[in-house]
């Protein structure tokens, strides 16, 4: 019952997480585009303190949009704030992290082959320290002198994200490693809104309400808010990729999954840069061509090794001894055999022992089906059974039951992909060895 309720909670928070994320990312894209598309206003607007304006048509009507350099002439009665999209995305994301990875830590968070935390509490504590420790380091850097230099700041954050990506793969399961990098990006983005963008906006609004002209401090806050907003813009595509990555084990379960994530981050951020440049009127196709070429090279590099099915052992049949033709009738042969057959108990026992020895000399080997099903029952069927015995599973994942060779044949395509990529078993909770993994892939591909 507990696992059933967790599935519903996961569905609920995942749904709201997606909705909030779409709203937040859409607003981020829109305002970056808007800020970069503003045109020089006419003189009469400039005298009112407007730094740029833009005309647009949508939904059957015209829109006139103006941006003030700092403050408008008077505070409007209704002022729209854009913050809850970010907060809701982060809160629902943390809820998902707790429901999926913390409550089921042994299945999704921990990989004993990497770090044996000893308990779920140890793994969860490490996860929280890793997440919020990374954000604390970011916040220290962004508020330092390094944060005022765009190039130095960008390079520093890029290097630290590479270290964090590699570190997550040393601590957690492959799938959880991807999610932790996404959680760091999401926390940074939400932190940029809460600790950078919103304070600047509140300071500006407060000055307008009090009728005080904003000073240099407010102007500096506004500039920092703009830089943080632009940073969030570059983080969006890598974050979207990570949000959907749990559906593609070929990515995070790769032997060099952390490096793949770094490459994908560079590719997506570069593609985002193309659109930012385009909004400024600078058409630079190289920022699309380079990511496209890099993606093709990444696909080639990641291609899986060809699968060699297990050879089917030949069926052994008893040897047949040819008998020379004879004119002796069968009845006569039977009589002759009876005539020379042992008549004493000792002779009969000796003959029986000889037969048993001959039988024992032929080894009895289990069939490939029996051998592999032993592996399946020990490593896979704890979850993929009609009634899973693995804690945290109320039903077999995706409804896939693996208890007979016929079940294996029905789902062989999914088995080969999941086992070869390392996606299954989840977090390798059942300790499937590399040799067993290779044998299982070869067996399933030959069904």
């Amino acid at each position: 019952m507990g696992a059933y309720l967790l599935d519903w909670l996961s569905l609920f928070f995942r749904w709201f997480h997606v909705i909030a994320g779409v709203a937040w990312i859409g607003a981020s894209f829109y305002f970056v585009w808007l800020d970069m598309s503003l045109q020089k206003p006419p003189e009469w607007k400039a005298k009112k303190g407007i730094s740029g304006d833009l005309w647009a048509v949508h939904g059957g009507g015209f829109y006139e949009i103006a941006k003030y350099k700092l403050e408008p002439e008077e505070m409007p009665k209704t002022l729209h704030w854009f913050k809850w999209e970010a907060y809701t995305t982060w809160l629902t994301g943390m809820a998902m992290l707790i429901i999926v990875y913390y409550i089921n830590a042994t299945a999704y968070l921990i990989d004993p082959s990497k770090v044996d935390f000893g308990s779920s509490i140890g793994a969860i504590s490490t996860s929280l320290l890793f997440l919020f420790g990374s954000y604390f380091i970011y916040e220290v850097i962004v508020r330092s002198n390094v944060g005022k230099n765009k190039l130095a700041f960008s390079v520093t954050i890029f290097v630290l994200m590479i270290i964090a990506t590699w570190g997550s793969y040393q601590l957690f399961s492959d799938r959880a490693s991807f999610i932790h990098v996404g959680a760091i990006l999401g926390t940074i983005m939400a932190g940029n809104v809460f600790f950078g963008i919103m304070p600047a906006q509140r300071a500006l609004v407060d000055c307008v309400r009090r009728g005080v002209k904003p000073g240099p401090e407010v102007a500096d806050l506004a500039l920092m808010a703009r830089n943080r907003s632009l940073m969030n813009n570059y983080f969006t595509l890598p974050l979207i990729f990570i949000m959907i990555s749990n559906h593609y084990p070929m990515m995070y379960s790769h032997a060099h999954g952390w490096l793949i994530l770094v490459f994908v981050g560079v590719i997506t951020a570069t593609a985002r840069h193309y659109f930012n440049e385009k909004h400024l009127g600078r058409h630079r196709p190289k920022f699309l061509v380079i990511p496209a070429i890099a993606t093709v090279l990444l696909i080639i590099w990641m291609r899986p090794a060809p699968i060699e099915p297990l050879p089917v052992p030949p069926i052994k049949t008893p040897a047949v001894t040819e008998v020379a033709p004879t004119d002796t009738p069968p009845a006569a042969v039977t009589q002759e055999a009876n005539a020379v057959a042992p008549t004493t108990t000792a002779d009969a026992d000796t003959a029986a022992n000889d037969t048993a020895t001959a039988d024992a000399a032929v080894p009895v080997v289990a069939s490939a089906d029996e051998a592999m099903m032993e592996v399946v029952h020990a490593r896979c069927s704890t979850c993929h059974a009609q009634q899973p015995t693995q804690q945290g599973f109320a039903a077999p994942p995706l409804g896939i039951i693996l208890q007979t060779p016929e079940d294996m044949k029905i789902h062989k395509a999914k088995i080969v992909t999941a086992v070869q990529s390392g996606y299954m078993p989840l977090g390798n909770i059942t300790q499937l060895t590399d040799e067993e993994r290779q044998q299982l892939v070869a067996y399933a591909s030959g069904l």
Side-chain angles (χ1 to χ4, degrees), residues 111-436:
D111 184 349
S113 64
K114 295 181 179 180
V115 177
D116 186 6
F117 288 100
S119 67
S120 297
I121 295 177
I124 294 170
S125 301
T126 304
S127 170
L128 292 172
L129 180 62
F130 183 78
L131 174 59
F132 290 104
S134 299
Y135 177 74
F136 176 77
I137 293 172
Y138 166 82
E139 196 64 35
V140 169
I141 294 173
V142 78
R143 293 175 182 270
S144 69
N145 291 331
V146 176
K148 298 177 182 179
N149 185 307
K150 288 185 179 180
L151 179 59
F153 178 68
S154 300
V155 172
T156 301
I157 295 303
F158 177 68
V159 172
L160 289 177
M161 285 306 303
I162 292 177
I163 295 174
T165 303
W166 176 83
S168 68
Y169 261 82
Q170 311 311 307
L171 295 172
F172 311 112
S173 70
D174 294 343
R175 178 175 171 178
S177 298
F178 259 50
I179 295 299
H180 273 75
V181 176
I184 291 174
L185 292 179
T187 302
I188 288 175
M189 293 173 68
N192 280 336
V193 174
F194 188 83
F195 293 108
I197 297 172
M198 292 307 299
Q201 292 177 348
R202 291 192 187 97
L204 185 59
V205 169
D206 181 63
C207 287
V208 175
R209 283 177 175 166
R210 291 188 293 112
V212 178
K213 189 172 182 61
E217 297 85 359
V218 177
D220 289 343
L221 285 175
L223 178 60
M224 182 182 66
R226 185 179 182 278
N227 291 339
R228 287 189 185 239
S229 180
L230 184 61
M231 185 180 308
N232 281 2
N233 177 262
Y234 280 100
F235 280 171
T236 49
L237 293 184
L239 183 60
I240 291 174
F241 169 80
I242 295 174
M243 286 172 65
I244 64 174
S245 67
N246 62 329
H247 298 289
Y248 299 96
M250 66 177 182
M251 305 298 292
Y252 62 76
S253 292
H254 192 275
H256 303 286
W258 72 272
L259 192 56
I260 289 173
L261 184 53
V262 171
F263 286 157
V264 170
V266 173
I267 290 170
T268 52
T270 304
R272 184 64 235 168
H273 183 66
Y274 165 79
F275 291 100
N276 289 341
E277 289 289 298
K278 188 173 182 295
H279 298 333
L280 293 172
R282 297 192 287 262
H283 183 59
R284 297 180 177 178
K286 65 180 181 180
F287 292 120
L288 279 184
V289 174
I290 293 175
I293 295 174
T295 301
V296 172
L297 295 177
L298 184 63
I299 293 172
I300 295 173
W301 177 55
M302 288 179 57
R303 69 190 187 280
I307 300 172
E308 296 293 339
L310 286 176
V312 179
I315 299 175
K316 295 183 179 181
T317 56
V320 178
T321 305
E322 294 186 0
V323 181
T326 176
D327 295 333
T328 307
V333 174
T334 303
Q335 290 175 358
E336 291 177 4
N338 290 336
V340 297
T343 56
T344 64
T345 303
D347 290 338
D349 291 342
T350 302
N353 292 334
D354 291 342
T355 303
T357 303
D359 292 339
V362 180
V364 178
V365 182
S367 67
D369 285 344
E370 293 174 345
M372 290 313 305
M373 290 314 298
E374 287 184 6
V375 175
V376 171
H377 291 156
R379 313 298 190 191
C380 310
S381 299
T382 55
C383 299
H384 291 282
Q386 191 71 40
Q387 294 294 330
T389 57
Q390 177 62 47
Q391 184 181 2
F393 291 86
L398 299 179
I400 297 176
I401 297 175
L402 302 176
Q403 292 184 302
T404 66
E406 288 73 21
D407 295 334
M408 300 285 290
K409 188 172 183 179
I410 293 172
H411 302 290
K412 70 174 186 177
K414 294 179 179 178
I415 293 172
V416 170
T417 301
V419 177
Q420 186 183 44
S421 66
Y423 175 54
M424 289 292 175
L426 288 172
N428 202 19
I429 190 172
T430 56
Q431 297 296 292
L432 182 69
T433 65
D434 292 339
E435 182 180 1
E436 291 172 337

